[in-house]
Amino acid sequence: MHSATRFVRALASLPETDRAWLRAVLAACADGPIALSEAWQRAWFSPRPGTGLILQPDAGAAYLYVEAAQAGERDRLAAETLSAAVLLADMARCGIATTHPVAHATPGAFRCIGNIFDKPRVAMEHGTPRIVLNAAGDYTEDPSEIRSAGGDVRYVGHPFGPEASALLLQFTSGVMAIRADARTTALRDSLAPERTRPTRVEAEGAPEPTDADAASPDLAHEAPPHTAWDAAAWPGNAPSASASRPTRRRRAHRCPRWVAALVACKLCVAFGVAIGVYVDDVAELLAVSQDISADAHPGPLPPSQSPTASVPPPAIPETWPTPLREDHDLDPHDATADIPQPAPSPLLGTDISQWSGHGARGASAVFDAVPDLHFAFVRVAYGRRLDHEFHSNWQLMAERDIYRGAYVFLRLDEDPIAQVDNAVDALGPATSRDLCLAIDFEELSFTPRGPPHDTQDVARIVLAALERARHRLGCMPLLYTNWSMGSTYLHDPQFAQYPLWIADWTDAPAPRLPPAWTTFAIWQRSDRLPASPSAADLDLFPGTPADLARLLRH
């Protein structure tokens, strides 16, 4: 049986949601080829104004968003959206539709489909890029939600798996056209409402009633239980002219056995060819999906992505440079600078989060591609909300037998004590290679679009978080920040006792240090770890493994 025939006949068992989607797709393509994103916008998301789809080709990721008030319907709507993509794939496989992909060469690009989006863009907020999705200022920092300009959660997200994301990425980009042939006609007829769907009698022409039919008026106009998408409606199977003439039932004639054997052989050959074509179609679709998965970089929509991320990451220095300080005019050769002696070679590390991706396409891919990592940090929480990938990443680092640490992204609008307690509880008992907790303080720590914070109040909150972590873990927590934030808010000399994890993405030979510090513990030199297929930062430690062990938990 032809694949298009199988597809059309299978439509009878589809739910009305899928049938309505196919009718809308055919209507959208009635005037000719159409962009797939426009077809989704008109045929799927316009009837669902509170939903939207965000796709990141480089990351191989896709997220469906629904209004927060409809969070309970999130999984159902995601399943229906994926089913819609599968139907488009079936139409293309059967030859009813043709799709022409378009290459997206812009690194880090993302696509948004849905009425909730309006000219999405990357904007700077407190010196850090974030994705602003519409004119109202709705933005995303975390793929699990979209917040309003005031910080309220407006939409919640549903993450699609790698295979589902690959399918959605393939069939939401490019151009689609519907073939104008008998297969499309049969598809349109099969999707018509029951009362308007043409029957086989209407398609072939109703035969004139016989004497027996005239005796039963109710049976004279009864339609047979077959419809226009049966084999008789396809080219090459049209009824002959005599089919419309009234005839009486003829006596069946038995054909010779050799004819039956010949027909059986030809049917077997045709069946084998059909199966081969079908298997080849499926294999091709799987191969395309695997190619997309292999080329993708996990880590959906990272808000910390630098606009200059396309620049190759800096090379790892062979010897450890000396840190630069503003009060010494950034002169690394200043003999009066109170700086440590250079170590023979830095230790390579990284830090990851849910932005790095999921499962084998996330942290595992990072560690496989860069096997010489000495240490790694993973985000445990954003405020009091746990990172979606923390537990799996935490376990993965233990299996890799490297020094592992965790950091909590500090939010100034939440209780710092509760944030640290939540993170420490998630870490569990310490192992022999667990580093102390790090407190992440940066521009996005501020309440989105909130009033300016008093410098003393900011310093009090950060110190409270550090002291709580020190009390709970029995070790000196690290403080992650950059030169701008440290110079503006962290003047108190008490900060100098905490090891500094300085973020300075530069090609300079050494990082700049805020005034409160004269040295540092870790340097985050780039947001791109060389050779990593997933989103991961490049961190360097200025010492030996024995020096790194001084940062362990007790």
Side-chain angles (χ1 to χ4, degrees), residues 3 6-7 88-97 278 281-282 285:
S3 59
R6 291 193 300 268
F7 174 71
L88 286 184
D90 287 341
M91 290 175 64
R93 179 177 59 82
C94 296
I96 296 176
Y278 178 76
D281 289 340
V282 174
L285 179 61

Side-chain angles (χ1 to χ4, degrees), residues 254-267:
R254 187 183 302 274
C255 65
R257 292 185 177 181
W258 67 270
V259 175
L262 179 61
V263 172
C265 291
K266 290 188 175 182
L267 286 176

Side-chain angles (χ1 to χ4, degrees), residues 25-282:
V25 169
L26 293 177
C29 299
D31 296 330
I34 186 174
L36 274 164
S37 59
E38 179 64 19
W40 278 91
Q41 177 73 31
R42 290 165 53 182
W44 187 259
F45 288 105
S46 290
R48 299 164 178 81
T51 61
L53 191 65
I54 294 183
L55 307 108
Q56 191 180 21
D58 284 352
Y63 276 78
L64 179 74
Y65 291 90
V66 302
E67 292 178 333
Q70 297 180 337
E73 299 294 316
R74 175 175 45 184
D75 293 342
R76 178 184 63 82
L77 292 171
E80 292 179 352
T81 303
L82 183 59
S83 177
V86 171
L87 287 175
L88 286 184
D90 287 341
M91 290 175 64
R93 179 177 59 82
C94 296
I96 296 176
T98 58
T99 59
H100 304 273
V102 177
H104 294 270
T106 304
F110 60 92
R111 294 186 277 114
C112 301
I113 307 176
N115 296 331
I116 64 178
F117 308 121
D118 180 22
K119 298 179 180 179
R121 65 194 184 281
V122 176
M124 300 297 293
E125 184 71 18
H126 298 294
T128 300
R130 70 166 42 164
I131 297 176
V132 180
L133 300 170
N134 50 41
D138 296 343
Y139 67 93
T140 177
E141 297 175 346
D142 189 309
S144 65
E145 63 187 21
I146 294 176
R147 291 178 174 265
S148 67
D152 298 326
V153 177
R154 291 201 60 191
Y155 303 94
V156 292
H158 175 93
F160 289 100
E163 292 79 9
S165 296
L167 184 67
L168 286 166
L169 285 166
Q170 181 182 1
F171 287 98
T172 57
S173 175
V175 178
M176 179 179 67
I178 301 296
R179 297 181 184 274
D181 56 16
R183 294 173 295 185
T184 303
T185 301
L187 176 61
R188 294 181 189 276
D189 293 343
S190 67
L191 294 173
E194 291 293 336
R195 63 178 181 274
T196 61
R197 188 180 301 174
T199 64
R200 185 175 180 178
V201 173
E202 295 169 347
E204 300 178 0
E208 297 179 6
T210 62
D211 296 340
D213 294 334
S216 301
D218 294 337
L219 298 178
H221 303 287
E222 181 179 357
H226 300 286
T227 50
W229 59 84
D230 272 301
W234 296 99
N237 295 327
S240 61
S242 62
S244 60
R245 294 197 300 268
T247 58
R248 296 187 181 274
R249 185 182 300 271
R250 295 181 178 179
R251 182 179 178 181
H253 296 280
R254 187 183 302 274
C255 65
R257 292 185 177 181
W258 67 270
V259 175
L262 179 61
V263 172
C265 291
K266 290 188 175 182
L267 286 176
C268 290
V269 173
F271 180 78
V273 172
I275 290 295
V277 172
Y278 178 76
V279 171
D280 289 344
D281 289 340
V282 174

Side-chain angles (χ1 to χ4, degrees), residues 385-403:
R385 184 173 65 246
L386 287 181
D387 188 289
H388 298 314
E389 298 296 320
F390 166 70
H391 290 293
S392 58
N393 289 341
W394 191 245
Q395 179 62 32
L396 177 63
M397 291 191 295
E399 296 171 355
R400 298 290 174 137
D401 196 30
I402 62 175
Y403 287 100

Side-chain angles (χ1 to χ4, degrees), residues 480-505:
Y480 172 95
T481 192
N482 54 47
W483 179 86
S484 176
M485 297 296 290
S487 301
T488 304
Y489 296 100
L490 308 180
H491 298 296
D492 196 314
Q494 296 184 69
F495 287 113
Q497 64 181 315
Y498 295 101
L500 175 64
W501 182 1
I502 182 67
D504 190 12
W505 302 349

Side-chain angles (χ1 to χ4, degrees), residues 368-392:
D368 289 340
V370 191
D372 55 342
L373 290 173
H374 287 84
F375 67 95
F377 280 81
V378 60
R379 190 177 75 167
V380 58
Y382 173 68
R384 298 181 63 182
R385 184 173 65 246
L386 287 181
D387 188 289
H388 298 314
E389 298 296 320
F390 166 70
H391 290 293
S392 58

Side-chain angles (χ1 to χ4, degrees), residues 524-542:
Q524 186 186 85
R525 193 179 186 189
S526 173
D527 64 336
R528 298 185 63 194
L529 179 65
S532 173
S534 305
D537 298 323
L538 167 62
D539 296 303
L540 301 174
F541 176 77

